Amino acid sequence: MIRTKKKLGDMLLKAGIITQEQLDNALSEKKPGERVGRTLTRLGFVSEETILNFLASQMGIPYIDLDNVEIERFGRVLRNEVLEPVVRRHLALPISMSDEVLTVAMADPLDVIAIDDIRRITGCKIRAVVSSEEKIKQAIDKYYKKTETMEEILASVDVRAIEVLKEEEAIDLDKMKEEGEAIGIIRLVNHLLSTAVELGASDIHIEPYEDELRVRYRIDGVLHEMFSPPKTLHRAVISRFKIISGLNIAERRLPQDGRCSIRLKEKEADMRVSVVPTSYGEKVVARILDPSSLCLDLTKLGFSKKLLSLYEEKIKEPHGIILITGPTGCGKTTTLYSTLRTINTPDKNILTVEDPVEYKIKGLNQTQARPEIGLDFPTTLRSFLRQDPDILFVGEVRDKETAEVAINAALTGHLVFSTLHTNDSVGAIVRLQNMGVEPFLIASTLILSVAQRLIRKICPECKIPYKPQSSFYRFFDIPEDIQFFKGAGCKKCSQIGYKGRIGIFELLDIDSEIADLITDREPGSRIMETAIEKGLTTLKDSAREKVLEGITAPEEAMRVVAG
C-alpha cells in the first residue's frame, strides 16, 4: 500500500498491530504486484484506516479522509488534461490549492517520482497527505468525471463558428439567435444554472474581460470564482440568457432586466436577469429565487428572545409604520414575508405592492409595481386605501411621495410595513427627514425601525475550537479566556467552513422619549446615544452574541459589522 524504507509488515508487527502468524499468512497469500498492506486488509487482519493512521503518525504526514473533503473541482489543476493520466497512474489526487502549494492525497506519499511528475506539470510546490487507495480511486473517477462534464459541454460548442463582432459592426440578429439556441450553448447555460442550485448559490455573475470570461457564484452572501469558459462564447452565452428571460438580443448599449421561471433538480424557481454593458461587453447577473429555501418562521431568523418579544409586540399594533432597513441582500424581504405570514389571519386584509414580487405567499394580495405604465408605489398605495385594508406592505420607501402616502395610511388607522436602505436603525429617521418628511409626522407614525444583516453560520460538520486574533477581543470587548469556534472546511460546506446564514438585528423602539427627540430635530447621533442608554441592542451587540453562542466565527462577525 505504502512503500517505506522499512518493511511495512515488520513495522506493524513491532507496533503490535498484527501478529507474526498474520504477517506470515499475508506474505504467503500476497498476489503478484499487491502490497503487503493491501493483503493484510483483504485478509481482514487489520483495517486500512488503522494502517493509514499508523503510517501517518510514523512519517509525520497528515491522514485525510476523502469522504470529508470537497475537491476544488473547477481549479486550473484539475482541468489540466495532461495531469489526469499521472493522477490515475500514481494514485495521487490534487485536492486543494493555497499560495501556490498544491495538497495531494497519495496512497504512497514517499513516491518521489509521482511528486516530481505533478510538480513538473503544475509548477506548484507539493504537500503530500496520506489517504485510502480505494477512496483515491473513487475520488478520481468522481471528480474527473465532473470536470469532464464541463469539458464535454464546451467541446460540443463549435467555437470557431462563432464570430466575434466589434462594437460598431452590424448585428446579425438571426446569427445571434442561432448561437443562443445552439445545443452546446443551451447545455452550457443549463450547467451553470444547475451547478448554482446544487451549491445553493443566490446569484450567478458572468463577467467579460479583455481576454477571458469569468463565472462567479454568490454563496451565503460571498462571491466565489468557479470557472472560465472561453471568451469566444461570451456573446452566445449572453444571448441565451436574454432569450430565456425575454430580453432584446439586439440591444447591447442599454441595461436590461428580465425574468423567467425555471425548473432545476425537480425544483421550480424564479430567475431575475440583469444585463448591463461594460468596457469588454455585456455582463449578466442572474438571481435565483428558490421558494423552497425561504424561511417564514420568525423564531428561526436569528432574533434573540428579548428582541423577538419586542418585535412580536410591535407587529400586532393596530396602526403605525414599521421599517426594515439594511443594504441589498441583507434579508429584509425574508423578514417581512415571515412577519406578514405570522400576522396573516382570516380577519386581516393584507395588500402588498412590490418591485418585484420575489415570492408568492398564500393569503396575501400581492401587486407587481410597473412604473412604466404609471403603476408606481404611491399610486398603488392610494388605490389600496380604497380596498378596505388592515395591513399594507410597500416594497421600499424611495421618495417623499411614497413616504407621505404611507404616513397618511398609518394616520388613518392602518399598519404599514416597508424597507429603507440605511446603515442602522436611526438612519431610517435621518433618511426620511432628508426626503423632506416633517419630523412630527415621523414621530407620530413610526413605531419601530429595524436594522439587520445576514451573518454566515459555522458548518456544524467541521466545527472546531480555535483562538482568534487579539484584534477581535478588543473590537468586541471580550475576555481572552473564552472558547471560540470556526469551520475547518469539509465536503458538506464545499471547504468554505460556513453553511447557511442567520440574521443579526437592531430594533429601535420609538417610545415617547425617542419621539420627542425626532420632533425636536435632534441629530441621529443624539438619538442613537439615547437609545443605547435605554438598552438598545446594536448590530455589533447582536453579532457578539452570535459569536459567544458558537453560531458564527469571530472573523465573520467582524466582516459583517466592521466592514
Side-chain angles (χ1 to χ4, degrees):
M1 180 176 291
I2 296 178
R3 296 192 304 272
T4 63
K5 294 180 180 179
K6 294 183 179 180
K7 292 183 178 181
L8 174 61
D10 293 338
M11 294 171 64
L12 295 173
L13 178 63
K14 184 177 180 181
I17 295 175
I18 59 173
T19 65
Q20 183 65 55
E21 182 181 1
Q22 289 173 330
L23 178 59
D24 293 341
N25 288 340
L27 293 174
S28 63
E29 294 287 335
K30 191 166 95 58
K31 298 177 181 179
E34 186 177 46
R35 296 170 181 170
V36 172
R38 171 64 66 184
T39 308
L40 288 166
T41 57
R42 177 170 57 81
L43 295 175
F45 294 149
V46 64
S47 71
E48 184 179 40
E49 185 175 356
T50 298
I51 294 178
L52 291 172
N53 280 315
F54 170 74
L55 290 173
S57 65
Q58 289 291 309
M59 296 184 293
I61 298 176
Y63 163 58
I64 298 294
D65 185 351
L66 290 181
D67 285 342
N68 298 321
V69 173
E70 179 70 19
I71 294 170
E72 295 177 357
R73 286 180 277 170
F74 304 112
R76 65 179 178 85
V77 172
L78 284 185
R79 284 208 308 270
N80 192 325
E81 61 183 16
V82 179
L83 182 59
E84 182 181 356
V86 175
V87 166
R88 293 189 181 278
R89 181 171 68 254
H90 294 302
L91 292 180
L93 177 65
I95 58 175
S96 66
M97 170 86 79
S98 178
D99 298 328
E100 294 302 311
V101 176
L102 183 64
T103 298
V104 181
M106 303 182 67
D108 183 355
L110 296 183
D111 188 343
V112 293
I113 296 176
I115 292 175
D116 286 344
D117 281 350
I118 297 174
R119 181 187 295 115
R120 174 178 51 81
I121 293 171
T122 63
C124 301
K125 296 179 180 178
I126 305 300
R127 170 180 175 263
V129 297
V130 185
S131 192
S132 158
E133 180 176 326
E134 189 60 35
K135 289 183 178 180
I136 290 176
K137 290 179 180 178
Q138 294 173 359
I140 289 173
D141 291 339
K142 177 181 178 182
Y143 290 105
Y144 268 98
K145 180 179 179 181
K146 287 190 176 183
T147 305
E148 289 173 351
T149 299
M150 186 63 178
E151 299 298 332
E152 290 168 1
I153 291 170
L154 293 176
S156 70
V157 183
D158 188 354
V159 178
R160 294 169 299 178
I162 296 178
E163 179 184 1
V164 179
L165 297 177
K166 294 182 180 179
E167 191 66 30
E168 64 272 11
E169 290 181 337
I171 299 172
D172 187 337
L173 293 182
D174 291 337
K175 186 176 182 65
M176 290 180 68
K177 186 175 182 182
E178 181 180 334
E179 290 175 359
E181 294 180 340
I183 296 299
I185 292 298
I186 291 175
R187 290 179 62 204
L188 174 57
V189 172
N190 287 349
H191 181 75
L192 296 179
L193 293 173
S194 61
T195 303
V197 171
E198 177 187 344
L199 297 177
S202 61
D203 300 87
I204 305 172
H205 290 239
I206 300 173
E207 304 164 324
Y209 295 93
E210 185 175 9
D211 55 3
E212 67 174 332
L213 184 62
R214 182 170 69 168
V215 176
R216 294 192 292 171
Y217 291 161
R218 187 175 295 279
I219 303 172
D220 289 335
V222 178
L223 280 171
H224 299 271
E225 186 169 353
M226 303 307 295
F227 38 77
S228 299
K231 176 66 183 294
T232 48
L233 300 182
H234 172 238
R235 193 180 71 178
V237 171
I238 299 299
S239 294
R240 180 60 190 165
F241 273 98
K242 287 182 176 180
I243 289 170
I244 63 179
S245 56
L247 300 180
N248 182 357
I249 62 173
E251 182 56 72
R252 297 185 295 168
R253 302 164 300 171
L254 297 173
Q256 296 188 71
D257 295 297
R259 183 173 190 142
C260 64
S261 295
I262 56 177
R263 180 186 290 273
L264 295 168
K265 305 286 185 180
E266 299 182 350
K267 289 183 178 181
E268 288 189 3
D270 287 337
M271 183 171 69
R272 284 161 38 192
V273 176
S274 172
V275 183
V276 297
T278 70
S279 299
Y280 297 109
E282 291 175 292
K283 172 185 175 179
V284 164
V285 174
R287 169 157 290 186
I288 299 172
L289 304 171
D290 182 3
S292 65
S293 65
L294 184 65
C295 174
L296 295 178
D297 187 342
L298 279 179
T299 63
K300 296 180 180 179
L301 297 184
F303 286 105
S304 66
K305 290 183 179 180
K306 171 187 170 183
L307 296 185
L308 181 60
S309 177
L310 173 60
Y311 190 69
E312 289 179 330
E313 174 189 334
K314 291 296 182 178
I315 64 177
K316 293 176 183 176
E317 292 284 341
H319 54 79
I321 297 177
I322 295 177
L323 294 175
I324 310 294
T325 74
T328 301
C330 72
K332 298 187 297 293
T333 299
T334 299
T335 299
L336 281 167
Y337 280 158
S338 301
T339 302
L340 294 176
R341 179 179 178 273
T342 300
I343 60 179
N344 180 23
T345 56
D347 62 327
K348 294 289 192 298
N349 180 22
I350 304 177
L351 296 95
T352 81
V353 54
E354 306 167 58
D355 186 20
V357 176
E358 294 192 8
Y359 300 100
K360 294 180 176 66
I361 307 296
K362 184 178 180 181
L364 304 187
N365 301 284
Q366 297 172 271
T367 300
Q368 169 70 53
R370 298 181 63 188
E372 69 276 8
I373 63 171
L375 190 65
D376 54 18
F377 285 157
T379 300
T380 308
L381 272 179
R382 290 190 186 96
S383 299
F384 281 176
L385 293 175
R386 297 189 290 273
Q387 287 281 314
D388 186 30
D390 295 295
I391 298 168
L392 300 171
F393 165 39
V394 56
E396 181 184 351
V397 177
R398 297 174 177 171
D399 49 45
K400 181 181 179 181
E401 185 180 8
T402 305
E404 288 179 339
V405 177
I407 287 172
N408 181 58
L411 288 172
T412 54
H414 304 93
L415 184 60
V416 181
F417 292 90
S418 191
T419 70
L420 273 176
H421 287 80
T422 64
N423 291 327
D424 55 33
S425 56
V426 173
I429 298 168
V430 178
R431 178 75 185 280
L432 290 173
Q433 290 176 338
N434 291 339
M435 287 181 185
V437 180
E438 290 294 334
F440 76 90
L441 290 175
I442 300 173
S444 59
T445 55
L446 185 62
I447 60 176
L448 186 69
S449 177
V450 180
Q452 75 172 77
R453 299 289 190 276
L454 289 176
I455 200 164
R456 292 183 294 174
K457 297 188 295 183
I458 299 171
C459 173
E461 300 294 330
C462 59
K463 185 175 182 179
I464 59 172
Y466 88 117
K467 186 177 180 64
Q469 296 180 352
S470 58
S471 58
F472 165 78
Y473 298 98
R474 293 192 300 269
F475 182 79
F476 283 104
D477 190 22
I478 293 177
E480 295 197 17
D481 59 349
I482 296 177
Q483 180 67 71
F484 296 102
F485 299 89
K486 70 174 182 178
C490 66
K491 183 177 181 180
K492 295 289 185 181
C493 63
S494 300
Q495 298 301 314
I496 297 173
Y498 298 98
K499 190 71 174 177
R501 291 186 291 175
I502 194 169
I504 57 173
F505 298 90
E506 175 182 294
L507 273 62
L508 177 63
D509 182 6
I510 313 298
D511 60 14
S512 58
E513 186 175 353
I514 299 296
D516 288 342
L517 293 175
I518 297 172
T519 303
D520 293 341
R521 298 179 182 271
E522 292 288 345
S525 58
R526 176 75 179 92
I527 297 174
M528 178 61 81
E529 288 173 6
T530 302
I532 292 175
E533 290 172 1
K534 293 169 67 66
L536 174 73
T537 299
T538 65
L539 287 171
K540 182 177 177 180
D541 294 333
S542 186
R544 182 178 184 272
E545 289 175 1
K546 293 293 187 291
V547 173
L548 293 175
E549 292 169 5
I551 294 173
T552 193
E555 289 78 9
E556 173 67 3
M558 292 186 67
R559 180 187 72 85
V560 172
V561 299

